PDB file of all heavy atoms in Angstrom:
ATOM      1  N   SER M   1      99.042   1.833  11.575  1.00 98.00           N
ATOM      2  CA  SER M   1      98.515   2.738  10.554  1.00 98.00           C
ATOM      3  C   SER M   1      97.101   3.196  10.895  1.00 98.00           C
ATOM      4  O   SER M   1      96.707   4.314  10.574  1.00 98.00           O
ATOM      5  CB  SER M   1      98.531   2.054   9.177  1.00 98.00           C
ATOM      6  OG  SER M   1      97.513   1.070   9.068  1.00 98.00           O
ATOM      7  N   LEU M   2      96.341   2.349  11.582  1.00 98.00           N
ATOM      8  CA  LEU M   2      94.986   2.727  11.982  1.00 98.00           C
ATOM      9  C   LEU M   2      95.028   3.844  13.030  1.00 98.00           C
ATOM     10  O   LEU M   2      94.187   4.752  13.021  1.00 98.00           O
ATOM     11  CB  LEU M   2      94.249   1.506  12.544  1.00 98.00           C
ATOM     12  CG  LEU M   2      94.017   0.347  11.556  1.00 98.00           C
ATOM     13  CD1 LEU M   2      93.401  -0.843  12.287  1.00 98.00           C
ATOM     14  CD2 LEU M   2      93.128   0.789  10.399  1.00 98.00           C
ATOM     15  N   ILE M   3      96.007   3.776  13.912  1.00 98.00           N
ATOM     16  CA  ILE M   3      96.183   4.836  14.912  1.00 98.00           C
ATOM     17  C   ILE M   3      96.584   6.139  14.230  1.00 98.00           C
ATOM     18  O   ILE M   3      96.074   7.219  14.548  1.00 98.00           O
ATOM     19  CB  ILE M   3      97.243   4.414  15.953  1.00 98.00           C
ATOM     20  CG1 ILE M   3      96.790   3.131  16.666  1.00 98.00           C
ATOM     21  CG2 ILE M   3      97.501   5.532  16.960  1.00 98.00           C
ATOM     22  CD1 ILE M   3      97.871   2.472  17.506  1.00 98.00           C
ATOM     23  N   LEU M   4      97.493   6.031  13.257  1.00 98.00           N
ATOM     24  CA  LEU M   4      97.924   7.215  12.514  1.00 98.00           C
ATOM     25  C   LEU M   4      96.759   7.835  11.741  1.00 98.00           C
ATOM     26  O   LEU M   4      96.575   9.059  11.746  1.00 98.00           O
ATOM     27  CB  LEU M   4      99.047   6.836  11.545  1.00 98.00           C
ATOM     28  CG  LEU M   4     100.384   6.445  12.187  1.00 98.00           C
ATOM     29  CD1 LEU M   4     101.328   5.881  11.132  1.00 98.00           C
ATOM     30  CD2 LEU M   4     101.016   7.643  12.879  1.00 98.00           C
ATOM     31  N   LYS M   5      95.976   7.003  11.088  1.00 98.00           N
ATOM     32  CA  LYS M   5      94.826   7.509  10.320  1.00 98.00           C
ATOM     33  C   LYS M   5      93.843   8.253  11.217  1.00 98.00           C
ATOM     34  O   LYS M   5      93.267   9.263  10.824  1.00 98.00           O
ATOM     35  CB  LYS M   5      94.118   6.346   9.616  1.00 98.00           C
ATOM     36  CG  LYS M   5      94.863   5.768   8.437  1.00 98.00           C
ATOM     37  CD  LYS M   5      94.091   4.595   7.830  1.00 98.00           C
ATOM     38  CE  LYS M   5      94.821   3.975   6.656  1.00 98.00           C
ATOM     39  NZ  LYS M   5      94.081   2.814   6.101  1.00 98.00           N
ATOM     40  N   TYR M   6      93.661   7.731  12.403  1.00 98.00           N
ATOM     41  CA  TYR M   6      92.724   8.360  13.340  1.00 98.00           C
ATOM     42  C   TYR M   6      93.203   9.760  13.723  1.00 98.00           C
ATOM     43  O   TYR M   6      92.415  10.713  13.745  1.00 98.00           O
ATOM     44  CB  TYR M   6      92.595   7.485  14.582  1.00 98.00           C
ATOM     45  CG  TYR M   6      91.639   8.003  15.621  1.00 98.00           C
ATOM     46  CD1 TYR M   6      90.265   7.937  15.431  1.00 98.00           C
ATOM     47  CD2 TYR M   6      92.114   8.551  16.815  1.00 98.00           C
ATOM     48  CE1 TYR M   6      89.385   8.404  16.388  1.00 98.00           C
ATOM     49  CE2 TYR M   6      91.242   9.020  17.781  1.00 98.00           C
ATOM     50  CZ  TYR M   6      89.880   8.940  17.563  1.00 98.00           C
ATOM     51  OH  TYR M   6      89.008   9.411  18.515  1.00 98.00           O
ATOM     52  N   MET M   7      94.489   9.901  14.013  1.00 98.00           N
ATOM     53  CA  MET M   7      95.015  11.219  14.371  1.00 98.00           C
ATOM     54  C   MET M   7      94.964  12.177  13.181  1.00 98.00           C
ATOM     55  O   MET M   7      94.653  13.361  13.329  1.00 98.00           O
ATOM     56  CB  MET M   7      96.441  11.086  14.900  1.00 98.00           C
ATOM     57  CG  MET M   7      96.527  10.384  16.244  1.00 98.00           C
ATOM     58  SD  MET M   7      98.165  10.497  16.982  1.00 98.00           S
ATOM     59  CE  MET M   7      99.107   9.455  15.861  1.00 98.00           C
ATOM     60  N   VAL M   8      95.273  11.666  12.001  1.00 97.00           N
ATOM     61  CA  VAL M   8      95.224  12.497  10.800  1.00 97.00           C
ATOM     62  C   VAL M   8      93.790  12.972  10.544  1.00 97.00           C
ATOM     63  O   VAL M   8      93.562  14.116  10.143  1.00 97.00           O
ATOM     64  CB  VAL M   8      95.770  11.729   9.580  1.00 97.00           C
ATOM     65  CG1 VAL M   8      95.464  12.474   8.282  1.00 97.00           C
ATOM     66  CG2 VAL M   8      97.269  11.515   9.720  1.00 97.00           C
ATOM     67  N   LYS M   9      92.828  12.094  10.783  1.00 97.00           N
ATOM     68  CA  LYS M   9      91.421  12.477  10.612  1.00 97.00           C
ATOM     69  C   LYS M   9      91.071  13.662  11.500  1.00 97.00           C
ATOM     70  O   LYS M   9      90.383  14.599  11.084  1.00 97.00           O
ATOM     71  CB  LYS M   9      90.516  11.284  10.934  1.00 97.00           C
ATOM     72  CG  LYS M   9      89.034  11.590  10.786  1.00 97.00           C
ATOM     73  CD  LYS M   9      88.180  10.371  11.133  1.00 97.00           C
ATOM     74  CE  LYS M   9      86.689  10.682  11.014  1.00 97.00           C
ATOM     75  NZ  LYS M   9      85.867   9.496  11.374  1.00 97.00           N
ATOM     76  N   GLY M  10      91.558  13.630  12.745  1.00 97.00           N
ATOM     77  CA  GLY M  10      91.324  14.745  13.649  1.00 97.00           C
ATOM     78  C   GLY M  10      91.936  16.033  13.129  1.00 97.00           C
ATOM     79  O   GLY M  10      91.337  17.107  13.216  1.00 97.00           O
ATOM     80  N   ALA M  11      93.148  15.929  12.571  1.00 96.00           N
ATOM     81  CA  ALA M  11      93.818  17.105  12.019  1.00 96.00           C
ATOM     82  C   ALA M  11      93.034  17.660  10.835  1.00 96.00           C
ATOM     83  O   ALA M  11      92.868  18.884  10.689  1.00 96.00           O
ATOM     84  CB  ALA M  11      95.238  16.746  11.603  1.00 96.00           C
ATOM     85  N   GLU M  12      92.555  16.773   9.994  1.00 96.00           N
ATOM     86  CA  GLU M  12      91.789  17.216   8.817  1.00 96.00           C
ATOM     87  C   GLU M  12      90.483  17.858   9.227  1.00 96.00           C
ATOM     88  O   GLU M  12      90.015  18.794   8.578  1.00 96.00           O
ATOM     89  CB  GLU M  12      91.559  16.031   7.887  1.00 96.00           C
ATOM     90  CG  GLU M  12      92.847  15.533   7.220  1.00 96.00           C
ATOM     91  CD  GLU M  12      92.642  14.288   6.395  1.00 96.00           C
ATOM     92  OE1 GLU M  12      91.614  13.592   6.605  1.00 96.00           O
ATOM     93  OE2 GLU M  12      93.514  13.983   5.548  1.00 96.00           O
ATOM     94  N   MET M  13      89.875  17.395  10.295  1.00 95.00           N
ATOM     95  CA  MET M  13      88.641  18.002  10.809  1.00 95.00           C
ATOM     96  C   MET M  13      88.898  19.426  11.300  1.00 95.00           C
ATOM     97  O   MET M  13      87.983  20.252  11.342  1.00 95.00           O
ATOM     98  CB  MET M  13      88.079  17.155  11.942  1.00 95.00           C
ATOM     99  CG  MET M  13      87.488  15.825  11.486  1.00 95.00           C
ATOM    100  SD  MET M  13      87.077  14.706  12.872  1.00 95.00           S
ATOM    101  CE  MET M  13      85.897  15.702  13.778  1.00 95.00           C
ATOM    102  N   SER M  14      90.164  19.701  11.657  1.00 93.00           N
ATOM    103  CA  SER M  14      90.547  21.042  12.126  1.00 93.00           C
ATOM    104  C   SER M  14      91.042  21.931  10.982  1.00 93.00           C
ATOM    105  O   SER M  14      91.521  23.042  11.230  1.00 93.00           O
ATOM    106  CB  SER M  14      91.630  20.932  13.194  1.00 93.00           C
ATOM    107  OG  SER M  14      91.186  20.159  14.290  1.00 93.00           O
ATOM    108  N   GLY M  15      90.962  21.416   9.759  1.00 93.00           N
ATOM    109  CA  GLY M  15      91.357  22.213   8.606  1.00 93.00           C
ATOM    110  C   GLY M  15      92.769  21.996   8.121  1.00 93.00           C
ATOM    111  O   GLY M  15      93.238  22.701   7.228  1.00 93.00           O
ATOM    112  N   HIS M  16      93.466  21.008   8.682  1.00 94.00           N
ATOM    113  CA  HIS M  16      94.829  20.718   8.255  1.00 94.00           C
ATOM    114  C   HIS M  16      94.826  19.700   7.114  1.00 94.00           C
ATOM    115  O   HIS M  16      93.955  18.833   7.044  1.00 94.00           O
ATOM    116  CB  HIS M  16      95.648  20.155   9.418  1.00 94.00           C
ATOM    117  CG  HIS M  16      95.796  21.102  10.564  1.00 94.00           C
ATOM    118  ND1 HIS M  16      96.826  22.024  10.637  1.00 94.00           N
ATOM    119  CD2 HIS M  16      95.042  21.279  11.682  1.00 94.00           C
ATOM    120  CE1 HIS M  16      96.701  22.720  11.756  1.00 94.00           C
ATOM    121  NE2 HIS M  16      95.625  22.292  12.396  1.00 94.00           N
ATOM    122  N   GLU M  17      95.802  19.819   6.258  1.00 94.00           N
ATOM    123  CA  GLU M  17      96.002  18.835   5.195  1.00 94.00           C
ATOM    124  C   GLU M  17      97.318  18.128   5.471  1.00 94.00           C
ATOM    125  O   GLU M  17      98.397  18.648   5.187  1.00 94.00           O
ATOM    126  CB  GLU M  17      96.038  19.504   3.821  1.00 94.00           C
ATOM    127  CG  GLU M  17      96.134  18.522   2.670  1.00 94.00           C
ATOM    128  CD  GLU M  17      96.107  19.190   1.304  1.00 94.00           C
ATOM    129  OE1 GLU M  17      95.900  20.420   1.242  1.00 94.00           O
ATOM    130  OE2 GLU M  17      96.312  18.478   0.309  1.00 94.00           O
ATOM    131  N   VAL M  18      97.224  16.953   6.060  1.00 96.00           N
ATOM    132  CA  VAL M  18      98.413  16.231   6.513  1.00 96.00           C
ATOM    133  C   VAL M  18      98.888  15.281   5.425  1.00 96.00           C
ATOM    134  O   VAL M  18      98.163  14.375   5.018  1.00 96.00           O
ATOM    135  CB  VAL M  18      98.121  15.442   7.804  1.00 96.00           C
ATOM    136  CG1 VAL M  18      99.393  14.743   8.289  1.00 96.00           C
ATOM    137  CG2 VAL M  18      97.570  16.362   8.878  1.00 96.00           C
ATOM    138  N   LYS M  19     100.115  15.501   4.976  1.00 96.00           N
ATOM    139  CA  LYS M  19     100.722  14.619   3.976  1.00 96.00           C
ATOM    140  C   LYS M  19     102.154  14.270   4.359  1.00 96.00           C
ATOM    141  O   LYS M  19     102.528  13.109   4.469  1.00 96.00           O
ATOM    142  CB  LYS M  19     100.685  15.282   2.595  1.00 96.00           C
ATOM    143  CG  LYS M  19     101.228  14.381   1.476  1.00 96.00           C
ATOM    144  CD  LYS M  19     100.387  13.126   1.305  1.00 96.00           C
ATOM    145  CE  LYS M  19     100.894  12.282   0.144  1.00 96.00           C
ATOM    146  NZ  LYS M  19     100.132  11.019  -0.005  1.00 96.00           N
ATOM    147  N   ASP M  20     102.975  15.299   4.535  1.00 97.00           N
ATOM    148  CA  ASP M  20     104.389  15.096   4.871  1.00 97.00           C
ATOM    149  C   ASP M  20     104.554  15.044   6.387  1.00 97.00           C
ATOM    150  O   ASP M  20     104.139  15.962   7.094  1.00 97.00           O
ATOM    151  CB  ASP M  20     105.244  16.221   4.296  1.00 97.00           C
ATOM    152  CG  ASP M  20     105.168  16.267   2.776  1.00 97.00           C
ATOM    153  OD1 ASP M  20     105.432  15.231   2.146  1.00 97.00           O
ATOM    154  OD2 ASP M  20     104.819  17.327   2.235  1.00 97.00           O
ATOM    155  N   VAL M  21     105.174  13.964   6.867  1.00 97.00           N
ATOM    156  CA  VAL M  21     105.299  13.791   8.314  1.00 97.00           C
ATOM    157  C   VAL M  21     106.691  13.296   8.693  1.00 97.00           C
ATOM    158  O   VAL M  21     107.416  12.721   7.881  1.00 97.00           O
ATOM    159  CB  VAL M  21     104.260  12.786   8.864  1.00 97.00           C
ATOM    160  CG1 VAL M  21     102.851  13.240   8.558  1.00 97.00           C
ATOM    161  CG2 VAL M  21     104.512  11.385   8.310  1.00 97.00           C
ATOM    162  N   VAL M  22     107.032  13.543   9.944  1.00 97.00           N
ATOM    163  CA  VAL M  22     108.207  12.958  10.592  1.00 97.00           C
ATOM    164  C   VAL M  22     107.684  12.173  11.780  1.00 97.00           C
ATOM    165  O   VAL M  22     106.890  12.692  12.575  1.00 97.00           O
ATOM    166  CB  VAL M  22     109.193  14.046  11.063  1.00 97.00           C
ATOM    167  CG1 VAL M  22     110.299  13.429  11.899  1.00 97.00           C
ATOM    168  CG2 VAL M  22     109.786  14.780   9.867  1.00 97.00           C
ATOM    169  N   ILE M  23     108.080  10.926  11.901  1.00 97.00           N
ATOM    170  CA  ILE M  23     107.624  10.072  12.993  1.00 97.00           C
ATOM    171  C   ILE M  23     108.813   9.752  13.893  1.00 97.00           C
ATOM    172  O   ILE M  23     109.898   9.416  13.404  1.00 97.00           O
ATOM    173  CB  ILE M  23     107.008   8.764  12.466  1.00 97.00           C
ATOM    174  CG1 ILE M  23     105.856   9.065  11.489  1.00 97.00           C
ATOM    175  CG2 ILE M  23     106.497   7.907  13.626  1.00 97.00           C
ATOM    176  CD1 ILE M  23     105.254   7.822  10.854  1.00 97.00           C
ATOM    177  N   THR M  24     108.611   9.862  15.177  1.00 93.00           N
ATOM    178  CA  THR M  24     109.702   9.573  16.110  1.00 93.00           C
ATOM    179  C   THR M  24     109.679   8.110  16.558  1.00 93.00           C
ATOM    180  O   THR M  24     108.647   7.446  16.536  1.00 93.00           O
ATOM    181  CB  THR M  24     109.626  10.475  17.358  1.00 93.00           C
ATOM    182  OG1 THR M  24     108.378  10.250  18.028  1.00 93.00           O
ATOM    183  CG2 THR M  24     109.746  11.935  16.971  1.00 93.00           C
ATOM    184  N   CYS M  25     110.848   7.626  16.971  1.00 92.00           N
ATOM    185  CA  CYS M  25     110.972   6.261  17.484  1.00 92.00           C
ATOM    186  C   CYS M  25     112.079   6.244  18.529  1.00 92.00           C
ATOM    187  O   CYS M  25     112.911   7.142  18.573  1.00 92.00           O
ATOM    188  CB  CYS M  25     111.274   5.271  16.354  1.00 92.00           C
ATOM    189  SG  CYS M  25     112.979   5.343  15.754  1.00 92.00           S
ATOM    190  N   PRO M  26     112.127   5.231  19.387  1.00 87.00           N
ATOM    191  CA  PRO M  26     113.202   5.141  20.376  1.00 87.00           C
ATOM    192  C   PRO M  26     114.574   5.044  19.704  1.00 87.00           C
ATOM    193  O   PRO M  26     114.705   4.470  18.620  1.00 87.00           O
ATOM    194  CB  PRO M  26     112.879   3.845  21.131  1.00 87.00           C
ATOM    195  CG  PRO M  26     111.403   3.664  20.948  1.00 87.00           C
ATOM    196  CD  PRO M  26     111.118   4.167  19.567  1.00 87.00           C
ATOM    197  N   ALA M  27     115.588   5.567  20.356  1.00 81.00           N
ATOM    198  CA  ALA M  27     116.940   5.550  19.779  1.00 81.00           C
ATOM    199  C   ALA M  27     117.454   4.127  19.612  1.00 81.00           C
ATOM    200  O   ALA M  27     118.274   3.853  18.732  1.00 81.00           O
ATOM    201  CB  ALA M  27     117.894   6.351  20.662  1.00 81.00           C
ATOM    202  N   TYR M  28     116.977   3.203  20.440  1.00 82.00           N
ATOM    203  CA  TYR M  28     117.476   1.830  20.379  1.00 82.00           C
ATOM    204  C   TYR M  28     116.725   0.971  19.356  1.00 82.00           C
ATOM    205  O   TYR M  28     117.015  -0.207  19.220  1.00 82.00           O
ATOM    206  CB  TYR M  28     117.422   1.168  21.750  1.00 82.00           C
ATOM    207  CG  TYR M  28     116.051   1.170  22.389  1.00 82.00           C
ATOM    208  CD1 TYR M  28     115.089   0.229  22.027  1.00 82.00           C
ATOM    209  CD2 TYR M  28     115.711   2.115  23.343  1.00 82.00           C
ATOM    210  CE1 TYR M  28     113.838   0.233  22.591  1.00 82.00           C
ATOM    211  CE2 TYR M  28     114.459   2.134  23.912  1.00 82.00           C
ATOM    212  CZ  TYR M  28     113.529   1.189  23.539  1.00 82.00           C
ATOM    213  OH  TYR M  28     112.279   1.212  24.103  1.00 82.00           O
ATOM    214  N   PHE M  29     115.761   1.541  18.634  1.00 89.00           N
ATOM    215  CA  PHE M  29     115.073   0.790  17.584  1.00 89.00           C
ATOM    216  C   PHE M  29     116.082   0.337  16.539  1.00 89.00           C
ATOM    217  O   PHE M  29     116.922   1.126  16.092  1.00 89.00           O
ATOM    218  CB  PHE M  29     114.018   1.673  16.913  1.00 89.00           C
ATOM    219  CG  PHE M  29     112.604   1.369  17.347  1.00 89.00           C
ATOM    220  CD1 PHE M  29     112.339   0.817  18.586  1.00 89.00           C
ATOM    221  CD2 PHE M  29     111.528   1.631  16.514  1.00 89.00           C
ATOM    222  CE1 PHE M  29     111.036   0.545  18.989  1.00 89.00           C
ATOM    223  CE2 PHE M  29     110.233   1.355  16.890  1.00 89.00           C
ATOM    224  CZ  PHE M  29     109.979   0.811  18.132  1.00 89.00           C
ATOM    225  N   ASN M  30     116.005  -0.931  16.139  1.00 92.00           N
ATOM    226  CA  ASN M  30     116.893  -1.413  15.085  1.00 92.00           C
ATOM    227  C   ASN M  30     116.316  -1.095  13.717  1.00 92.00           C
ATOM    228  O   ASN M  30     115.247  -0.479  13.598  1.00 92.00           O
ATOM    229  CB  ASN M  30     117.158  -2.921  15.249  1.00 92.00           C
ATOM    230  CG  ASN M  30     115.891  -3.747  15.177  1.00 92.00           C
ATOM    231  OD1 ASN M  30     114.943  -3.429  14.460  1.00 92.00           O
ATOM    232  ND2 ASN M  30     115.853  -4.842  15.929  1.00 92.00           N
ATOM    233  N   GLU M  31     117.009  -1.519  12.671  1.00 96.00           N
ATOM    234  CA  GLU M  31     116.594  -1.158  11.315  1.00 96.00           C
ATOM    235  C   GLU M  31     115.217  -1.726  10.985  1.00 96.00           C
ATOM    236  O   GLU M  31     114.397  -1.056  10.345  1.00 96.00           O
ATOM    237  CB  GLU M  31     117.627  -1.674  10.299  1.00 96.00           C
ATOM    238  CG  GLU M  31     117.379  -1.206   8.873  1.00 96.00           C
ATOM    239  CD  GLU M  31     117.473   0.306   8.707  1.00 96.00           C
ATOM    240  OE1 GLU M  31     118.091   0.967   9.554  1.00 96.00           O
ATOM    241  OE2 GLU M  31     116.909   0.825   7.720  1.00 96.00           O
ATOM    242  N   ALA M  32     114.946  -2.960  11.406  1.00 97.00           N
ATOM    243  CA  ALA M  32     113.642  -3.567  11.129  1.00 97.00           C
ATOM    244  C   ALA M  32     112.517  -2.788  11.799  1.00 97.00           C
ATOM    245  O   ALA M  32     111.446  -2.573  11.206  1.00 97.00           O
ATOM    246  CB  ALA M  32     113.637  -5.014  11.609  1.00 97.00           C
ATOM    247  N   GLU M  33     112.746  -2.340  13.023  1.00 96.00           N
ATOM    248  CA  GLU M  33     111.729  -1.579  13.754  1.00 96.00           C
ATOM    249  C   GLU M  33     111.508  -0.211  13.121  1.00 96.00           C
ATOM    250  O   GLU M  33     110.375   0.283  13.037  1.00 96.00           O
ATOM    251  CB  GLU M  33     112.149  -1.441  15.217  1.00 96.00           C
ATOM    252  CG  GLU M  33     112.127  -2.756  15.981  1.00 96.00           C
ATOM    253  CD  GLU M  33     112.849  -2.681  17.308  1.00 96.00           C
ATOM    254  OE1 GLU M  33     113.934  -2.067  17.365  1.00 96.00           O
ATOM    255  OE2 GLU M  33     112.339  -3.262  18.285  1.00 96.00           O
TER     256      GLU M  33
END
């Protein structure tokens, strides 16, 4: 979450309002992951 917050901060500095997101993960990730 700290990594995500850092990227969002950069987006907000560029004038973006980040709220709704889609996050990608490997296809082999299980439900817990």
Side-chain angles (χ1 to χ4, degrees):
S1 74
L2 297 174
I3 300 168
L4 291 171
K5 287 179 181 178
Y6 181 74
M7 291 190 291
V8 169
K9 180 181 179 181
E12 291 175 341
M13 289 170 60
S14 301
H16 298 272
E17 185 177 354
V18 182
K19 184 63 177 177
D20 298 306
V21 301
V22 172
I23 304 176
T24 60
C25 75
Y28 56 81
F29 257 27
N30 60 33
E31 187 63 21
E33 292 166 318

